[in-house]
Amino acid sequence: MTLTANWSYPTAIRFGAGRILEIADACAAANISKPLLVTDRGLAKMDITRRTLDLMEAAGLGRAMFAEVDPNPNEKNADAGVRAFKEGGHDGVIAFGGGSGLDLGKLVAFLAGQTRPLWDFEDIGDWWTRANAAAIAPIVAVPTTAGTGSEVGRASVITNSVTAEKKIIFHPKFLPTVVICDPELTIGMPKSITAGTGLDAFAHCVEAFCSPHYHPMSQGMALEGMRLVKDYLLRAYADGNDMEARAHMMSAAAMGATAFQKGLGAIHALSHPIGAIHHTHHGTTNAVCMPAVLQFNRPAIKGRLGTVAAYLEIEGGFDGFCAYVDCLNASLGVPKTLTELGVKNPDIERIVAGALNDPSTGGNPLEMKKENTTKLLIACL
Ligand SMILES: [Fe+2]
């Protein structure tokens, strides 16, 4: 089987090794003639970015890049990015990178044509309708990790640097017009990032699958996403050059993010405030929280995860699934507790308040309240 294909679900995805060569064609398909490539500081210096800029330049698209993007991108990065977009006279964005480059790139394309401030578009009720949709610039997304899945998402996670809160900014037109999923771009990812991002994809699939809302399409996608992680994450971790494993992990990432339209849950609800306050890696934080969250939700998800265990050929139903998660984390060098991850002297009340305020809370199978969420956080610590 060749791991190359064109998909149009949930958007146009050009999938396959080497397809970054189609970047100029992807820009043309998205009606972009003067793109601004948005990425993070670390990636800006890397060879894959230089080669992409070379491809853009060779096609007459220029080689404009904005890379003042923090690992947890914030409103200051957004302001600077919008300035660069306007000053450069750009007509679209190539969002390039892991979660931070993708999320900030999508946001710059969105904000450049808006007159209202960023926080007016937080994912609350119908606030997204406040946007001038016609002024949103087109986006081509190019993931360079396999986890966030932001390339197929309709939102960006942005940290409010004043309050240290992660906010979700949503608009249907955040969904990129064209995505290039080229697993070759993930070859150089360090082991710890391969693990952390891969486990983010896994958490998306697990939480989406367990979320109680009705969305059978998402259910199918989450289940198969978990299988891909089970079969290929350890392989990608053991040998970063294993292209087949890298390709399947890139699919799992896109599938997890497509699936979580159905909802997330307590893992992400906790992980967002912890990451915003303690600057821990998002996917790794999720992985540390997952075992306690599975036990927390046990009464509601025992049967459902039993079905998953059977599909994944894990013996022992729900308990077997939990044991598998412990084993996977251990094999990938994930710390057992948040304390080990570097969460020192946590303000428990503040994290719990942040978790209860997070939109992911609504997708958790059991209702999260102050008391049970406090107990859950303490179990993770
Ligand atoms: Fe996530």
Side-chain angles (χ1 to χ4, degrees):
M1 180 173 53
T2 21
L3 300 179
T4 301
N6 294 334
W7 297 325
S8 53
Y9 179 55
T11 185
I13 303 178
R14 301 172 182 219
F15 190 98
R19 296 198 71 179
I20 190 63
L21 292 172
E22 297 173 33
I23 188 70
D25 195 46
C27 285
N31 254 329
I32 302 175
S33 58
K34 201 173 180 201
L36 177 66
L37 184 142
V38 177
T39 192
D40 63 68
R41 290 188 193 90
L43 264 170
K45 301 181 205 100
M46 287 176 66
D47 211 41
I48 50 171
T49 312
R50 188 188 51 73
R51 276 191 284 130
T52 304
L53 291 167
D54 289 347
L55 289 167
M56 287 161 55
E57 193 173 28
L61 298 172
R63 52 183 310 124
M65 173 172 72
F66 173 77
E68 295 308 305
V69 181
D70 290 304
N72 288 312
N74 57 47
E75 75 286 353
K76 293 178 201 161
N77 302 150
D79 287 346
V82 168
R83 229 176 6 255
F85 185 91
K86 286 182 178 169
E87 284 170 9
H90 297 288
D91 59 358
V93 165
I94 297 172
F96 188 91
S100 43
L102 293 173
D103 279 9
L104 198 87
K106 286 158 60 182
L107 186 70
V108 166
F110 169 79
L111 269 187
Q114 306 304 319
T115 50
R116 298 178 71 137
L118 164 62
W119 305 122
D120 278 8
F121 302 107
E122 199 185 332
D123 187 14
I124 297 174
D126 66 352
W127 284 17
W128 64 273
T129 60
R130 295 167 165 178
N132 176 1
I136 301 171
I139 302 160
V140 170
V142 183
T144 62
T145 66
T148 164
S150 180
E151 66 275 12
V152 293
R154 301 169 306 153
S156 284
V157 182
I158 303 296
T159 300
N160 182 326
S161 68
V162 179
T163 60
E165 289 172 289
K166 283 198 182 188
K167 298 287 189 188
I168 295 173
I169 311 296
F170 168 85
H171 194 282
K173 285 184 82 175
F174 269 49
L175 186 67
T177 307
V178 182
V179 177
I180 294 181
C181 278
D182 181 346
E184 264 179 21
L185 302 178
T186 67
I187 287 291
M189 245 199 302
K191 265 184 165 359
S192 65
I193 305 294
T194 298
T197 51
L199 290 169
D200 188 26
F202 189 60
H204 294 158
C205 293
V206 171
E207 292 217 284
F209 192 87
C210 293
S211 153
H213 307 301
Y214 178 69
H215 199 327
M217 281 187 271
S218 158
Q219 210 67 351
M221 197 167 277
L223 185 61
E224 180 64 4
M226 285 185 258
R227 185 189 70 80
L228 290 175
V229 172
K230 177 171 179 272
D231 290 355
Y232 296 103
L233 178 54
L234 284 172
R235 266 177 60 177
Y237 181 77
D239 175 9
N241 292 308
D242 184 335
M243 189 62 76
E244 189 188 0
R246 290 294 198 188
H248 286 306
M249 281 309 300
M250 193 160 244
S251 290
M255 290 162 77
T258 307
F260 78 58
Q261 286 188 22
K262 178 171 178 263
L264 288 167
I267 295 173
H268 277 78
L270 285 172
S271 177
H272 285 150
I274 291 166
I277 299 167
H278 295 276
H279 307 289
T280 51
H281 183 267
H282 171 69
T284 315
T285 312
N286 291 342
V288 173
C289 294
M290 186 180 285
V293 170
L294 292 175
Q295 293 307 324
F296 176 85
N297 285 326
R298 183 189 175 99
I301 62 172
K302 192 167 177 262
R304 218 174 305 174
L305 282 185
T307 314
V308 174
Y311 182 69
L312 299 183
E313 297 174 82
I314 294 169
E315 281 177 26
F318 174 81
D319 292 324
F321 183 85
C322 294
Y324 163 73
V325 169
D326 290 339
C327 179
L328 180 65
N329 278 354
S331 308
L332 294 168
V334 171
K336 277 205 151 97
T337 64
L338 290 173
T339 312
E340 259 181 77
L341 185 66
V343 178
K344 299 277 162 14
N345 304 314
D347 183 338
I348 289 177
E349 264 196 41
R350 186 175 170 206
I351 295 172
V352 168
L356 295 179
N357 220 359
D358 193 275
S360 311
T361 299
N364 197 64
L366 284 186
E367 193 183 352
M368 295 171 69
K369 294 182 182 157
K370 191 174 174 190
E371 202 193 339
N372 62 5
T373 305
T374 303
K375 273 192 197 155
L376 172 61
L377 173 61
I378 291 169
C380 297
L381 286 166

